[in-house]
Amino acid sequence: MLDSRGLKKKRVAILGSTGSIGVSTLEVLSLHPERFEVFALTASTQVDKLLQQCVQFRPAFAVMASPAHGQELARLCRDLGLPTQVLCGPDAITEVASHEQVDVVMAAIVGAAGLASCLGAARAGKRLLLANKEALVVGGDYFLQAVNAGGAKLLPIDSEHSAVFQSLPEDAASWATQIDKIILTASGGPFRRRDPASFADITPDQACAHPNWVMGRKISVDSATMMNKALEVIEARYLFGVAPAQIEVVIHPQSVIHSMVQYRDNSVIAQLGTPDMKVPIAYGLSWPQRMSSGASALDFRTMADMTFESLDDHGHRQRFPGLALAWSVLAAPAGSTAVLNAANEIAVAAFLAGQIRFDQMHAVNLETLAKVQPTPPGSLEDLLALDAQSRELATRVVTRLSI
């Protein structure tokens, strides 16, 4: 199908379409029906929500993670006379991500579960909009090799990494000689001023109440502990090819500056915008051009101030001990970043389930890292085995710490 300019519409597959990133992506796409066509949508368990999306966007394929949910969705689609073909299972997600008719893949499945489909899209040479930071945190150099081998175009969707990408020169080969450091900003989450002595009393609902961003519960908890920033440091190291020592984190409570690049001449270029994920999503879809995102514009007349805090201020290193693990695992044997990611996923799930306290998640991560001795992964099977081993050990730690 051609757009109004006689150009072929880009077909988009959204992996994790019922999550916050997936929903925002569909909102952006709905603004530009002349440029994009929704080809495939995938979800884990939210049958009703995916059905609503199928009714509105009529994709060629819809995928549920489990056969039971897939059968339910297929029945509902048949009852409504929808043309959508329903598939199920992880292999089906990878199948639509690498489908020959797909041009753009939004990778928004949370956690290591999204790794296989990201690899499939990379090897198939897709424009890969990476909202799943774990693909790089877990996959590391192995994932980048797949991107290079397939000729894929990797575009970051995390607001921080998109901001860095937008602040860099177009010539990637010049990054190493021009960049002094990358400065990732962090809001500080809901507990930026809370006394660390009271962290044992934090509830899951409190941890998920982010002051600036609307996100899923897992990533909201990561923001509250600043483990999200630890994962972003790891991701930035692989995305931009800089040394870990060239990555800095600064707390910026207003979330207006999404990240910055400091150059060798000490000039700093920053990307600003409202805290709305539709901005980096629209940029990833339209790159290297820009198009309307549907997000509100910044109104500088109403902005009282923009403030910044070092991690050395206000006891932040005590408040957010997990952040330092990013540089530790990057200096450790290959695979250590995957161990940290797996341990953190288990710790966050245990906290949300009421099994451990908020202040015990860091202990789960530390003990798992101490007990798992990874060997450099050379295949997806190696990565999945390391992930499984790390989860098993982290689960044992959770059991011992359980409230």
Side-chain angles (χ1 to χ4, degrees):
M1 187 177 296
L2 303 181
D3 65 14
S4 59
R5 299 165 297 173
L7 301 176
K8 178 177 172 288
K9 285 187 180 183
K10 289 185 171 64
R11 294 190 176 98
V12 183
I14 305 176
L15 314 182
S17 66
T18 58
S20 60
I21 296 295
V23 169
S24 292
T25 302
L26 287 170
E27 289 176 1
V28 173
L29 292 175
S30 68
L31 299 174
H32 304 279
E34 76 288 353
R35 296 182 61 173
F36 300 97
E37 176 184 341
V38 177
F39 183 78
L41 301 172
T42 84
S44 178
T45 60
Q46 297 191 66
V47 173
D48 290 343
K49 194 168 184 177
L50 185 54
L51 178 66
Q52 292 170 5
Q53 294 174 343
C54 289
V55 170
Q56 181 177 356
F57 294 96
R58 303 176 78 83
F61 293 96
V63 185
M64 297 298 305
S66 75
H69 291 107
Q71 290 167 10
E72 182 181 358
L73 180 65
R75 177 181 60 79
L76 292 169
C77 286
R78 285 196 303 271
D79 290 346
L80 292 174
L82 296 177
T84 302
Q85 181 179 348
V86 178
L87 307 174
C88 61
D91 290 345
I93 298 174
T94 301
E95 180 182 339
V96 297
S98 57
H99 197 285
E100 62 179 6
Q101 293 189 50
V102 168
D103 303 299
V104 182
V105 175
M106 169 59 76
I109 297 175
V110 176
L115 179 58
S117 53
C118 283
L119 282 167
R123 289 167 176 153
K126 306 303 182 185
R127 173 179 291 203
L128 181 54
L129 310 187
L130 194 64
N132 174 314
K133 60 174 60 68
E134 290 81 6
L136 278 168
V137 173
V138 176
D141 288 324
Y142 178 75
F143 177 69
L144 289 180
Q145 289 166 9
V147 171
N148 293 330
K153 180 59 185 178
L154 188 62
L155 295 171
I157 299 301
D158 267 354
S159 61
E160 294 82 3
H161 299 102
S162 177
V164 171
F165 184 70
Q166 294 180 58
S167 301
L168 287 169
E170 291 186 12
D171 179 18
S174 71
W175 292 355
T177 58
Q178 294 197 54
I179 298 172
D180 181 42
K181 63 182 175 181
I182 287 171
I183 305 168
L184 301 177
T185 57
S187 70
F191 309 130
R192 181 174 60 89
R193 285 288 186 265
R194 182 158 175 156
D195 183 356
S198 70
F199 274 21
D201 301 324
I202 291 172
T203 67
D205 285 344
Q206 290 172 332
C208 292
H210 196 282
N212 298 339
W213 298 91
V214 176
M215 304 178 291
R217 287 174 72 80
K218 193 271 180 182
I219 194 171
S220 294
V221 174
D222 281 346
S223 181
T225 62
M226 278 187 67
M227 275 303 300
N228 71 321
K229 210 55 53 177
L231 299 177
E232 287 169 15
V233 168
I234 297 167
E235 187 179 8
R237 178 260 178 272
Y238 288 111
L239 272 173
F240 306 116
V242 296
Q246 291 178 278
I247 305 170
E248 180 180 320
V249 173
V250 64
I251 292 180
H252 170 48
Q254 294 82 18
S255 296
V256 172
I257 294 177
H258 298 305
S259 279
M260 300 170 271
V261 175
Q262 181 171 308
Y263 285 82
R264 292 291 170 86
D265 60 1
N266 286 332
S267 64
V268 177
I269 296 179
Q271 187 267 340
L272 287 70
T274 52
D276 191 326
M277 288 304 299
K278 291 195 289 291
V279 175
I281 289 169
Y283 184 68
L285 286 166
S286 63
W287 178 88
Q289 287 79 38
R290 293 180 184 267
M291 66 183 189
S292 172
S293 67
S296 300
L298 279 178
D299 186 350
F300 289 94
R301 298 169 299 177
T302 63
M303 289 170 54
D305 53 26
M306 288 194 293
T307 60
F308 303 90
E309 300 168 8
S310 164
L311 292 174
D312 295 318
D313 297 337
H314 310 294
H316 288 322
R317 292 195 186 276
Q318 180 185 3
R319 191 173 283 111
F320 306 117
L323 178 57
L325 294 177
W327 290 272
S328 297
V329 294
L330 284 171
S336 296
T337 56
V339 177
L340 175 60
N341 179 76
N344 184 62
E345 285 192 20
I346 293 296
V348 172
F351 166 66
L352 288 172
Q355 295 174 277
I356 59 174
R357 302 190 310 265
F358 182 88
D359 61 330
Q360 291 178 313
M361 287 186 282
H362 183 56
V364 175
N365 294 335
L366 282 178
E367 191 167 336
T368 305
L369 284 168
K371 289 183 175 179
V372 178
Q373 303 299 319
T375 55
S379 66
L380 175 60
E381 290 70 28
D382 289 346
L383 288 168
L384 294 178
L386 178 58
D387 179 75
Q389 179 191 10
S390 303
R391 288 172 186 274
E392 181 182 354
L393 283 166
T395 300
R396 292 180 194 172
V397 179
V398 166
T399 301
R400 181 172 55 77
L401 294 174
S402 291
I403 300 171

